[in-house]
Amino acid sequence: MIEVANRLHTVEEYYFSKKLREVNLLIASGKPIINLGIGSPDLQPPQKVIEALTNGLLSPNAHKYQSYQGLPELREAIAGFYKTHFSVNLSANTEILPLMGSKEGIMHISMAYLNEGDAVLIPNPGYPTYQSVTKLVGAKPVFYELDATNNWLPDLKSLEQTDLSQVKLMWVNYPHMPTGAQPTETVFEDLVAFAKRHNILIVNDNPYSFILNDSPKSILSVKGAKDVCLELNSLSKTFNMAGWRVGMLVGDSEHVNHVLKVKSNMDSGMFYGIQKGAIEALKCSKMWFSTLNSVYQQRRDLVWQLADALNCTYDKNATGLFVWAKLPANVRAEEFIDLILKENHIFITPGTIFGSQGEGYIRFSLCASTEVLEEAIARIK
């Protein structure tokens, strides 16, 4: 038998990949499962975005290989988006790299910067892909704990009491997933200063800025941030385009070029029509965000009712596509969600998949209609 690579022994199959098989089997057996686990937007993208994709199919260039750096118009649209919404100036020619979803950027950045044995600071709780990619490239995950007492923000003073000599990269993610915590006015400034003191590249993973949030922020708005920071962003949540796979990496040209060296060996460019649709999405007015958030606000109100019915507590100041809720004392997350799935046919994400600091918490997705959420509440009551 042919042995797999050693790196494959360092990671497990993604939790949702495994759990959704179980959920789908229940559905196939006739169980009326309500899925509140996945953050896959169920709403439509803007109509002009769909029209741009459709029209793009008719272009003579539609079916050719595309540039590894994306269409110039797409990079210009990203630069305009960052200027309008984050007050960040970016060079469309040198400081922007379109991605096929921001998730691939996590791998590309890691491959560009990490050697075997390098250490990586990873939030706990945090997006599981940070850890799995770190392991796949042979680097060492070093977890920094986040908790509600500090509003899920990093305790940099405590971190500086540890040995950071091998740390090369730090993942941050604000607005935070899974908790919805927002960055304070000074946290990005503190992170930039921290990175400069310790020669660490910080990457802010920033796909949730516009969901139920009136004050989107970018770490690159901090003076000097481009020296030590990159930022990932995505159209998946902001414009209901998760399946389109459109993301972006922005930052200093030298950093972006290092990542481009990896990416240009991994794919042959993004499909032309998708790029044309993405350009239109990035030009959307603030009315789009207001309309989108009015829907999510109604849904969040219902999820809060559902959390109340389950005797959970939550932070009403949190933002993003999820509600992060604390279970009653001494209730374990995975046991709880399995019980709710079995007895009420509702799938909720256990906080433990995001790290040990997620024990005692569950996460609800807002990607379900008000009718579905009302049915979930009725099942619990």
Side-chain angles (χ1 to χ4, degrees), residues 219-333:
I219 198 168
L220 297 183
S221 64
V222 175
K223 184 178 180 180
K226 287 182 183 178
D227 297 337
V228 289
C229 297
L230 286 168
E231 186 160 274
L232 292 170
N233 217 316
S234 168
L235 274 62
S236 294
K237 277 67 176 183
T238 305
F239 299 104
N240 303 325
M241 295 166 64
W244 292 50
R245 309 313 302 137
V246 183
M248 64 201 77
L249 172 70
V250 296
D252 176 75
S253 59
E254 185 174 357
H255 294 146
V256 169
N257 278 331
H258 292 327
V259 179
L260 176 60
K261 285 183 181 180
V262 175
K263 178 175 169 56
S264 61
N265 284 287
M266 302 296 285
D267 64 62
S268 298
M270 190 187 304
F271 179 58
Y272 179 86
I274 287 178
Q275 293 190 68
K276 298 298 282 187
I279 290 166
E280 288 303 315
L282 291 161
K283 293 178 181 177
C284 280
S285 70
K286 291 185 178 180
M287 181 59 71
W288 164 259
F289 303 104
S290 297
T291 302
L292 182 67
N293 283 323
S294 67
V295 174
Y296 282 132
Q297 188 168 1
Q298 291 178 340
R299 294 179 176 189
R300 185 176 61 182
D301 288 344
L302 289 170
V303 170
W304 285 345
Q305 291 181 39
L306 179 59
D308 289 338
L310 293 169
N311 297 314
C312 295
T313 56
Y314 45 87
D315 178 8
K316 288 193 173 184
N317 293 316
T319 64
L321 202 59
F322 308 99
V323 170
W324 179 250
K326 185 172 179 58
L327 292 164
N330 302 317
V331 176
R332 300 188 67 81

Side-chain angles (χ1 to χ4, degrees), residues 331-352:
V331 176
R332 300 188 67 81
E334 293 191 27
E335 292 174 2
F336 181 83
I337 70 107
D338 285 341
L339 181 65
I340 297 299
L341 180 60
K342 179 181 178 181
E343 294 192 350
N344 305 98
H345 300 142
I346 301 171
F347 172 49
I348 305 165
T349 303
T352 46

Side-chain angles (χ1 to χ4, degrees), residues 59-325:
S59 169
N61 297 319
H63 311 294
K64 297 179 179 180
Y65 286 123
Q66 300 299 315
S67 165
Y68 300 109
Q69 295 173 280
L71 294 171
E73 310 96 276
L74 176 56
R75 298 196 306 273
E76 290 285 354
I78 293 170
F81 182 81
Y82 258 77
K83 177 64 175 176
T84 298
H85 298 288
F86 297 114
S87 299
V88 170
N89 292 311
L90 295 169
S91 167
N93 292 327
T94 63
E95 295 184 321
I96 295 170
L97 181 61
L99 302 172
M100 295 181 189
S102 60
K103 189 174 184 178
E104 76 159 9
I106 298 171
M107 174 61 84
H108 292 343
I109 293 167
S110 298
M111 292 181 71
Y113 280 96
L114 297 174
N115 294 314
E116 188 171 349
D118 285 339
V120 181
L121 290 171
I122 296 173
N124 175 16
Y127 186 35
T129 298
Y130 305 145
Q131 176 184 358
S132 58
V133 166
T134 297
K135 289 182 175 180
L136 282 170
V137 300
K140 177 186 176 183
V142 176
F143 296 98
Y144 62 95
E145 294 190 351
L146 309 176
D147 58 57
T149 60
N150 196 36
N151 195 32
W152 308 101
L153 297 172
D155 185 343
L156 297 179
K157 290 182 179 179
S158 293
L159 267 178
E160 290 189 303
Q161 302 305 311
T162 65
D163 181 9
L164 300 173
S165 60
Q166 300 301 311
V167 174
K168 198 170 187 182
L169 189 66
M170 179 180 187
W171 292 102
V172 298
N173 163 222
Y174 293 101
H176 185 246
M177 198 292 296
T179 70
Q182 298 187 67
T184 62
E185 291 297 323
T186 60
V187 68
F188 284 158
E189 294 175 1
D190 295 340
L191 281 165
V192 170
F194 171 82
K196 290 186 174 184
R197 285 195 298 273
H198 300 283
N199 195 32
I200 295 171
L201 178 66
I202 289 182
V203 186
N204 184 44
D205 191 11
N206 193 17
Y208 296 98
S209 284
F210 298 91
I211 306 300
L212 296 171
N213 183 20
D214 295 329
S215 56
K217 294 181 175 66
S218 165
I219 198 168
L220 297 183
S221 64
V222 175
K223 184 178 180 180
K226 287 182 183 178
D227 297 337
V228 289
C229 297
L230 286 168
E231 186 160 274
L232 292 170
N233 217 316
S234 168
L235 274 62
S236 294
K237 277 67 176 183
T238 305
F239 299 104
N240 303 325
M241 295 166 64
W244 292 50
R245 309 313 302 137
V246 183
M248 64 201 77
L249 172 70
V250 296
D252 176 75
S253 59
E254 185 174 357
H255 294 146
V256 169
N257 278 331
H258 292 327
V259 179
L260 176 60
K261 285 183 181 180
V262 175
K263 178 175 169 56
S264 61
N265 284 287
M266 302 296 285
D267 64 62
S268 298
M270 190 187 304
F271 179 58
Y272 179 86
I274 287 178
Q275 293 190 68
K276 298 298 282 187
I279 290 166
E280 288 303 315
L282 291 161
K283 293 178 181 177
C284 280
S285 70
K286 291 185 178 180
M287 181 59 71
W288 164 259
F289 303 104
S290 297
T291 302
L292 182 67
N293 283 323
S294 67
V295 174
Y296 282 132
Q297 188 168 1
Q298 291 178 340
R299 294 179 176 189
R300 185 176 61 182
D301 288 344
L302 289 170
V303 170
W304 285 345
Q305 291 181 39
L306 179 59
D308 289 338
L310 293 169
N311 297 314
C312 295
T313 56
Y314 45 87
D315 178 8
K316 288 193 173 184
N317 293 316
T319 64
L321 202 59
F322 308 99
V323 170
W324 179 250

